[in-house]
Amino acid sequence: MATATQAVRLEDNVTRFVSQTRKMLINGKWVEAASGKTFPTYNPATGEILAQVAEGDREDINRAVAAARAAFESGPWSKMTPSERGRLIWKLADLIEKHTEEFAQIESLDNGKPLTIARIADVPGTVDMFRYMAGWATKIEGNTIPISAFGAKYLAYTLREPVGVVGQIIPWNFPLMMASWKLGPALAAGCCVVLKPAEQTPLSALRLGELIQEAGIPDGVVNVVPGYGETAGAALAAHPDVDKVAFTGSTEVGKLIVQAAAGNLKKVSLELGGKSPDIVFQDADLPATVPGVSSAIFFNHGQCCCAGSRLYVEEKAFDKVVEGVSAEASKIHLGPGLDPATEMGPLVSEEQLKRVTGYLEAGFKEGAKATVGGSRHGDKGYFVKPTVLVNTNQKMKVVQEEIFGPVVTAIPFRDVDDLIAKANNTVYGLAAGVWTKDITKAHQVASKLRAGTVWINTYNIFDPALPFGGYKQSGWGREMGHEVLELYTEVKSVCLPIS
């Protein structure tokens, strides 16, 4: 609930929503967990309980998967034309847009992010994703293929068909938007879904479930089962009647997903961790670069898998850039997400607070120094000060491991080849940034970086049409763009003689 420091008044719908125990959506019905259990979700700005949510477990996953299977095999979803599916997805986007303020407030309460950011990024990004994928529903095509077998004539063609029942497990850093990244392409392809939101932030997915019903998407097509990863998530990943599992989260959990999926060799897509290098050459436009690299790490409190958490700066510009980023960090106003003055909210949970502060302590023990920040902010809620660490090197934990907080390590470089080697010296390969006025150099460096996305003189630019995903241990497959449809379809070859 809003506190005295939170100036924005909650909408009546939001107040009612968080005041009632939230049930799960299975086969078009809002039901309690089979066990009757609930779990709390917390307001990260205060550490206080925000809402109670039904705690899904194996039996609830079984019920949801059965509902999705029935909807896929014999329900109206499989009989709908692509155009009909597209219209329903577009209608869902319209409903989300209509409830923008409501969703923004729920995200701010449940996740901690500033309401202003949720309004201009999370909710509009969700709407755009559903609309983009609605258009793809009518454009999933096969091909005709000329073949020469045995000198005879054949008609050969491919069909691209929905993979079937999909288990989708989404993270807590962008709860609503990640739901759209998963649900949009699955629905466009004609799949049916069991969605497991993060236990830290289940509320926007449950509200989305209500709008899915309002949009007219048939019962069982989308089922939303909140619960813990080790119970509900594990049961969904291992379920023998799930054809594909899609996961966004940590690399450690991604590896567990792969193991669980081995039972029936279900298809797997993974969008995992990152330790992204952000590279600044001395010829960069520093007045534009400094705010850019600051945003690369401090956006969403550093809780981004692609955050520019390793800052490499050419030696001659190092002091100016570090000074500039430190000044930007010192100006960031921390506070509750619903406070209009807030520019950075709290981390999502006490667990995350301990993780980030633990990394800071480890960095200091290894010799790192903070030019700004470096500690918790206040004693209430899960706030960490934006932090710039210097005196760091490639061997340090803070340089090699994903912190997932507002912490950047700054390292100078001289030689470009050495820079590339250091930038690529990580198990991850999700994203990277390059800042220079020399466009030839920018493209040369971009081509050598082992990353799924390279931003040049910008950072954190996302679009439903732009594929996103990682190399190495940053994952399998690509979200968004037409490439995402490969994750939710199977290709069938058909061949018949015509002479």
Side-chain angles (χ1 to χ4, degrees), residues 369-449:
K369 294 183 179 180
T371 62
V372 66
S375 64
R376 180 179 183 176
H377 172 75
D379 57 6
K380 183 179 182 181
Y382 312 132
F383 296 90
V384 170
K385 297 175 184 177
T387 300
V388 178
L389 296 180
V390 295
N391 290 4
T392 56
N393 61 64
Q394 291 292 120
K395 296 181 180 180
M396 289 182 174
K397 286 180 64 176
V398 290
V399 175
Q400 285 297 319
E401 299 181 18
E402 184 176 39
I403 299 174
F404 222 66
V407 181
V408 63
T409 61
I411 299 175
F413 73 87
R414 290 183 183 179
D415 180 75
V416 174
D417 291 335
D418 180 57
L419 161 72
I420 297 297
K422 288 179 178 178
N424 288 333
N425 181 25
T426 172
V427 299
Y428 301 111
L430 190 56
V434 180
W435 302 81
T436 176
K437 293 178 182 177
D438 186 337
I439 294 303
T440 298
K441 179 167 60 181
H443 286 298
Q444 289 173 342
V445 171
S447 69
K448 296 176 182 177
L449 292 171

Side-chain angles (χ1 to χ4, degrees), residues 209-292:
E210 294 179 343
L211 296 191
I212 285 170
Q213 291 182 295
E214 187 176 340
I217 293 173
D219 294 348
V221 173
V222 177
N223 306 272
V224 184
V225 181
Y228 292 101
E230 59 267 27
T231 52
L236 184 57
H239 202 288
D241 210 24
V242 169
D243 300 300
K244 181 244 170 22
V245 61
F247 171 75
T248 296
S250 71
T251 294
E252 293 76 14
V253 176
K255 293 177 181 179
L256 296 177
I257 296 288
V258 172
Q259 295 172 16
N264 67 337
L265 293 179
K266 59 173 63 69
K267 296 182 75 170
V268 177
S269 60
L270 304 167
E271 198 268 279
L272 305 176
K275 193 68 177 175
S276 301
D278 205 8
I279 299 164
V280 180
F281 287 94
Q282 66 182 31
D283 66 350
D285 180 1
L286 294 189
T289 298
V290 167

Side-chain angles (χ1 to χ4, degrees), residues 32-158:
E32 296 178 351
S35 67
K37 292 181 180 179
T38 63
F39 68 94
T41 179
Y42 295 89
N43 181 338
T46 64
E48 298 170 354
I49 292 176
L50 175 63
Q52 291 287 340
V53 179
E55 183 183 331
D57 208 334
R58 182 176 301 276
E59 179 55 34
D60 305 292
I61 292 295
N62 288 341
R63 292 189 293 165
V65 171
R69 176 59 60 190
F72 181 74
E73 299 290 353
S74 57
W77 193 242
S78 59
K79 299 179 179 65
M80 282 187 180
T81 66
S83 180
E84 290 171 322
R85 285 202 310 272
R87 285 198 296 269
L88 290 179
I89 299 169
W90 193 282
K91 184 177 180 180
L92 175 59
D94 288 345
L95 288 171
I96 297 167
E97 187 173 53
K98 178 182 176 182
H99 294 276
T100 291
E101 181 65 15
E102 182 181 341
F103 274 109
Q105 290 185 7
I106 290 173
E107 290 293 77
S108 183
L109 281 171
D110 211 16
N111 168 273
K113 65 180 61 193
L115 178 63
T116 51
I117 299 300
R119 284 171 176 160
I120 65 173
D122 294 65
V123 183
T126 297
V127 172
D128 285 350
M129 185 62 185
F130 278 119
R131 285 180 176 155
Y132 175 82
M133 295 314 307
W136 269 110
T138 56
K139 300 167 187 68
I140 300 173
E141 302 172 340
N143 296 291
T144 56
I145 303 171
I147 62 175
S148 307
F150 308 110
K153 291 185 178 180
Y154 294 87
L155 172 62
Y157 60 93
T158 59

